[in-house]
Each structure stands twice: as C-alpha cells, then as structure tokens.
C-alpha cells in the first residue's frame, strides 16, 4: 500500500464517520447511516466524475465501500467513546480534504479543462460530499455557515496554480497544495475564522 | 404488451402515486405533485443511467410520462377513497421494487461492471427515487428509518449472484431475484421488521 | 456582445441574485451565498447537460462564474435597498426563464431527441435551478406552490412545437417561444394565477 492510498483511506474513513455520526443523531437505522456515510465519502468525487463524463471512481474499486463498512463498525462499537477522538477525526478530515482537492484538480486537468475548472472540481471533490450529507439528513449545509472549509480548497487550488506557474514538479505541487488546504483548515478552526455573514 | 411491460407500468404507477400522495400532504399544486410523482418513479433509474454513462431510460420512451399523468388523475379523482386501496398500492410497490432491482442489476452487468456494482445499482434503481421524493418534499428520507426497504434490494442482488453462480438460466434468475425482493419486503412490513437504530 | 449574450447575462444575474437573497435570509456566509446563487443560475442547465451526455455549459465559459460574483457584489453593496428593485429583478427573471427555455429545447433537439424531451429539458433548464436552490437552503421548493412558473416553460415548449409545425423560421420560433414564456409568467404573477392545490 502506497502512502497515497493510506492517506486516501484515512480521509474516506473520516468523511464516512462524519456522515454516520450525523445520521445517528437523526436516529437513522444502520442501513441509512451507511448510505449517509458512503454519500459523504464519495459524493463530491461522484459529482465531479459525472461532470467530467467519467465513470464514478468508486464503481471501479470496492475499497470505498469496505472502508465505509469499517466506519460504521467503528461508530457502532465505539459509541459515545468516539467523542474522545474528535481531534483525531478532525485531523483525518483535514488531511482527506487536502488530498481530495489535489485529486479533483489533477483529474480535471487530465480531462483537458483549464485550471479554473480544476479549482472548482477540487473544491467540489472536497466539500460537496458534506453538502449531500446535510441534504440527506435534512439540515442546512453546515459548510455554508461554519468555519472556513470549502474556501480552503479554493485556496489550495490557487497554490496549485502558483506552483505550476513557478514550474515546480508534480510531487512538490501536490504536497504544497494539500498542505496549504490542511493548514488553512486547521488555522481556521483553531482561531474560529468564519466568513462574514450576508445580511 | 408483454408481462414485463405490464409489471413495469404497475410499479411505475405505484411509485408515482406514493410521490403524488406525499406531495399532496404538503399542499403542493398539481404541477408540483406531478414532478414529485415523476421523480419518485424515474429518479432511481435516472441516477443509475447517469452513473453508467447511459441516456436516462425515460428520455427514450414516453410511457413513464404518461403513466405518471395517469397516477395524478387517479389521485385527483379518487381523493380520500384512495386510502382503501393502500394494500393494493403496497403490493404494486413491492412488485415494482423487485422488478426495478432486476432491471438495475442487468443493465449494470450489460455495461460491463462486476456484480457488486450491479447490486448497488439495483438498489439505487429501486430505492433512490423514494429518497429524491423525500428531498423534494423536504422530509428526512423515510427508507432510512422505516421497515426494511433498500436492504430487500441488496438481498435480491445476493440471490441474483447465487443464481448466476449456480448456473441457472436468465429467466429463472430474474424471477427468483424479483420474488426474493418482494417476499422480503412483504415479510418485513407484515412483521414490522426494522434494522437497529444507530445511537 | 450579441443581444443573445446580453439577455443571457441578465437572466443569469437575476437567477443568481434570487439564490443569494434567499441564502442571506438563512444567514449563510458569503461563500455559501455564492454557491447557492451559482447553483440557482446554472443548476437547471447542468442537470440538462448531464442527461444529454454533454459537458455542463458553465465548464466551457467562465462568464457564469463572473456574473455570479457580480450578483454577490450587488447584494452585499445594495443591501436592504435591493427591495426597491424587486420589479426589475422579476422582469429579468422572467426574461431569463424565457431564454433558458429556448436554449434547453434547442440543445435537446440538436442532440437528436424528439420535441417532448425538448419541452421537458427546456422546463428543467428554466426551473430546476430554483428547485436545487430551495433544496440547498432546506426549504420546500417554491415553484411547487407559488404562481405558475415551470408551466410557463411547458407552454413555451408547446408554442415552439406549433411554430415548427407551421414551418416558421428559427429566429421567429425562438422569439415567439421566449415571449410566450415571459408573457405567461407576467400575467400569472399580475393576476396571482396558481394551479389548483392537490388535496
């Protein structure tokens, strides 16, 4: 297993657990919680792939299905003790967000679209799963009001563009992009940074 | 008209009526009720076709549009008397669920995907229309909490796989799959079987 | 800039502003308001393009992204004074609805589908963005209850068909279709015309 795969599994796990926990607050059954967790984990990438005219990535690799089952098991077994690991999940979620942003940008550029489409698709890959999750549990999307989230993906996309413009290699560009998403996200939550509310 | 077409129309009718009735409880107008009914009937198959990179099936055959109009007419004309036929609609709905699951699995395998994708797509074909319906009327999806529904499709998919593994013919496989979905659904409702709730 | 482009920008602006204003009523932040505005403006056409197996139109032209930014700026700067221009926005919205309907029908016919699919796609192009907007802000879709809206698109589609049947030229057909949508919409709001509610 490469480092990339390992990080992707961590991120998928964190996304799925966030969906399953919110579903449990709504008293969904196990199947409903699984569906919400899976949608949170793969929803953003699925939307991206549909708009890029590609087959949704999770239909080509059963890993995501299995990881979501693992997430459900963790939530069922750990129950209320899960709260102790909130910080761990937050870090996993931030790492996943960074990685998914990079994957979204690169898949879009590989499909022949310009950078601005790549930045949107990177943001959709990272943040749209959470929006679909909130639609499924019938709540107003959290990311439209809480600390900076999707904007961290947009920022990462700008960093990606700068790295390309500066002629940096693919590996350096990927790491810089993911790191900038993760750092913005951690800083935003640490200092409670929010965007202005529209009145 | 073949038996297959006849069953498909019955299932579409039952799905559309379930959407129209829930829309009427929200005091939607006729057009809104029609849209909710149509989405309930074709939503699952549309999601499946988009993910399989196929043209949504209802764009190639106006039957579904017409059947939904029939469903709207039935609800408008029958009004409160409709409640008497709840058991009939439940049976139609279960039959539709079984048939849609089979159609979803076979279309997915025909597109070259493995069985596990087929089972997911069969379940989406059967159950996602109801989820889209609940999103449109702004309610938490019913299938995530009520008696076993989507899981009946998953069970049918497993039966499909067993039939294939046993080398049974296409017709036998289809009937066994659809019947197993229908039986699981009827048994679940009769005994009020629900999955455990996540706490 | 052609007249067509000018009208399209006006319509996009009106759709985006309607999304941003409803998002502000929910106290979304600037980013959330932008996403809701953008989804309102491009959601219908995106759904249409996905079902026609085409690349979503806004991925090929950054105008829509920029116009939505303009809409956000207008709402932020004008604030409560925006209410004075409600009639102006209503007219822009009606014009946009007419134009989007024509675009939706023609794109569908160009993709080889029959007129009835074109009418549905024209209606989706015009009206589905507002439905997606209402899903994002967690409200019951407005168009399923308020004055005739989506039905104006259907009516426009029928006019389109009549023009074609009468052998009128493309330009005449387009103008007649768009005008009929706009007129139906204005008449409906002026007289408070609503469809019957389903009981």
């Amino acid at each position: 297993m490469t480092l990339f795969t390992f990080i992707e599994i961590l991120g998928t796990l964190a996304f799925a657990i966030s969906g399953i926990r919110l579903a449990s607050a709504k008293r969904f059954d196990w199947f409903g919680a699984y569906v919400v967790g899976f949608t949170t984990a793969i929803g953003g990438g699925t939307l991206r792939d549909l708009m890029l005219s590609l087959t949704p990535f999770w239909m080509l690799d059963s890993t995501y299905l299995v990881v979501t089952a693992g997430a459900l098991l963790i939530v069922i077994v750990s129950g209320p003790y899960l709260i102790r690991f909130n910080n761990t999940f937050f870090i996993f979620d931030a790492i996943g967000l960074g990685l998914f942003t990079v994957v979204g940008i690169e898949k879009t550029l590989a499909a022949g679209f310009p950078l601005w489409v790549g930045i949107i698709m990177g943001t959709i890959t990272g943040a749209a799963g959470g929006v679909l999750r909130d639609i499924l549990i019938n709540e107003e999307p959290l990311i439209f009001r809480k600390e900076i989230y999707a904007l961290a993906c947009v920022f990462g996309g700008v960093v990606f563009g700068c790295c390309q413009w500066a002629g940096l290699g693919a590996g350096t560009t990927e790491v810089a992009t993911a790191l900038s998403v993760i750092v913005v996200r951690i800083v935003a939550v640490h200092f409670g940074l929010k965007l202005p509310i529209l009145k």
Side-chain angles (χ1 to χ4, degrees), chain A:
Chain A
M1 186 160 69
T2 63
L3 180 64
F4 182 91
T5 311
F6 182 70
I7 294 178
E8 202 179 9
I9 289 177
L10 275 193
T12 303
L13 199 68
F15 275 47
I17 286 177
S18 95
I20 292 168
R21 290 175 81 177
L22 286 171
S24 80
K26 290 271 177 166
R27 303 186 59 78
F28 282 14
D29 65 31
W30 289 10
F31 187 87
Y34 183 89
V35 171
V36 175
F38 191 61
T39 305
T40 310
I42 60 98
T46 302
L47 210 56
R48 173 204 64 211
D49 288 341
L50 289 178
M51 296 204 277
L52 296 178
S53 304
L54 300 172
T55 296
F57 67 102
W58 57 268
M59 292 166 62
L60 305 169
D61 179 354
S62 59
T63 306
Y64 308 94
L65 214 64
V66 176
V67 171
T68 303
L72 182 61
L73 206 69
I74 289 173
V75 176
I76 291 174
V77 170
S78 323
Y81 300 100
L82 219 58
I83 266 177
R84 291 192 200 164
F85 300 99
N86 270 353
N87 284 330
T88 312
F89 288 128
F90 166 68
I91 295 295
F92 285 5
D93 189 280
I95 293 172
L97 192 68
L99 182 82
F100 293 165
T101 304
V102 171
V103 171
I105 296 171
E106 296 196 327
K107 238 182 150 172
T108 307
L109 299 185
F113 290 94
L115 182 66
W116 67 268
V117 179
I119 295 179
I120 297 177
M121 290 298 154
T123 307
I124 288 176
T125 308
V131 175
L132 291 174
R133 172 198 68 204
D134 294 341
I135 290 173
L136 280 180
I137 62 171
N138 202 23
E139 292 286 339
E140 286 168 23
L142 210 56
I143 66 155
F144 295 161
R145 288 203 293 207
K146 70 169 182 179
E147 296 91 358
I148 284 166
Y149 193 91
L151 209 57
C153 305
V154 176
F155 179 75
V158 172
V159 169
F160 188 99
C162 293
C163 290
Q164 277 206 324
W165 178 79
L168 301 183
T172 317
T173 302
E174 289 168 357
V175 171
T177 304
L179 273 183
S180 63
V181 174
I182 297 167
V183 168
V184 167
R185 180 73 186 124
I186 290 176
V187 168
V189 168
H190 189 74
F191 294 101
L193 300 182
K194 302 185 183 195
L195 286 171
I197 283 175
L198 199 66
K199 275 176 285 281

